[in-house]
Amino acid sequence: MPTSPDVVVVGAGPNGLVAANWLADRGWSVLVLEAQPEVGGAVRSDRELDPAFVHDTFSAFYPLGAASPVLRSLELERHGLRWRHAPAVLGHRWADGWALLHRDRERTAAGLDAAHPGDGEAWLDLARSWDAYGDRVTDALLSPFPPLRAGVRAPARGGPHRRPRPGAHAARPGARPGP
């Protein structure tokens, strides 16, 4: 007599695979169903455009995957996962060349400035703003929905490039009106 799984996960993309692994690690029997011939959903690479060139088919948010507490808890590196980094994180084609985002912000700034003087410093200013807010944004993106707690903390950490908006405290849980 066949047994039924505790859970059926429909879709073997990143979210389905993480959910299936998380449940299996906690002792649930899991069946994963996938309609496509390969697992991975939008997080796949292939050589469809050119046999000599491996490209990502749809995805761009691996840094969030690497930062995910759930993915880290799966200890996938122990099972062979290797995070790989492209020479440039992303690129955008302009009429006269490419804008490339590198892991090294100074290298990115130099490339932007060479193409359009002043853009390098604007990039560094944007990067400094990210330094002030980035951990809060990442926390909000990787926390349960709605990410109220992470979102409310962000204005308090505005740093030199931002200041809290008047009235922002009103959205905090337990906030009281008045002085």
Side-chain angles (χ1 to χ4, degrees), residues 19-109:
N21 278 283
W22 191 87
L23 291 166
D25 284 350
R26 282 150 185 80
W28 294 53
S29 64
V30 180
L31 172 63
V32 178
L33 302 176
E34 174 56 54
Q36 300 301 314
E38 296 181 38
V39 300
V43 181
R44 285 190 303 113
S45 299
D46 69 26
R47 296 176 185 271
E48 179 182 346
L49 296 178
D50 183 329
F53 179 72
V54 177
H55 72 282
D56 296 334
T57 53
F58 303 105
S59 57
F61 292 104
Y62 296 124
L64 291 179
S68 166
V70 174
L71 279 182
R72 284 195 316 261
S73 75
L74 295 174
E75 299 178 340
L76 297 174
E77 290 83 357
R78 287 185 24 209
H79 304 282
L81 173 68
R82 289 181 307 141
W83 293 101
R84 302 190 75 181
H85 302 285
V89 177
L90 62 88
H92 179 78
R93 181 86 168 116
W94 290 338
D96 57 347
W98 284 85
L100 296 175
L101 176 64
H102 298 277
R103 293 174 61 84
D104 177 338
R105 58 175 64 167
E106 295 292 334
R107 185 174 174 195
T108 298

Side-chain angles (χ1 to χ4, degrees), residues 84-175:
R84 302 190 75 181
H85 302 285
V89 177
L90 62 88
H92 179 78
R93 181 86 168 116
W94 290 338
D96 57 347
W98 284 85
L100 296 175
L101 176 64
H102 298 277
R103 293 174 61 84
D104 177 338
R105 58 175 64 167
E106 295 292 334
R107 185 174 174 195
T108 298
L112 292 173
D113 221 40
H116 299 278
D119 282 0
E121 187 54 41
W123 165 254
L124 292 173
D125 189 47
L126 179 63
R128 286 187 288 271
S129 293
W130 177 258
D131 291 341
Y133 281 102
D135 59 339
R136 305 299 181 182
V137 171
T138 302
D139 185 31
L141 290 171
L142 298 175
S143 63
F145 189 82
L148 295 176
R149 191 171 298 152
V152 168
R153 286 192 308 255
R157 254 206 61 182
H161 303 285
R162 305 279 190 257
R163 61 186 175 91
R165 295 183 324 264
H169 69 281
R172 286 189 213 133

Side-chain angles (χ1 to χ4, degrees), residues 3-31:
T3 60
S4 296
D6 295 322
V7 175
V8 175
V9 175
V10 178
N15 294 329
L17 292 174
V18 167
N21 278 283
W22 191 87
L23 291 166
D25 284 350
R26 282 150 185 80
W28 294 53
S29 64
V30 180
L31 172 63

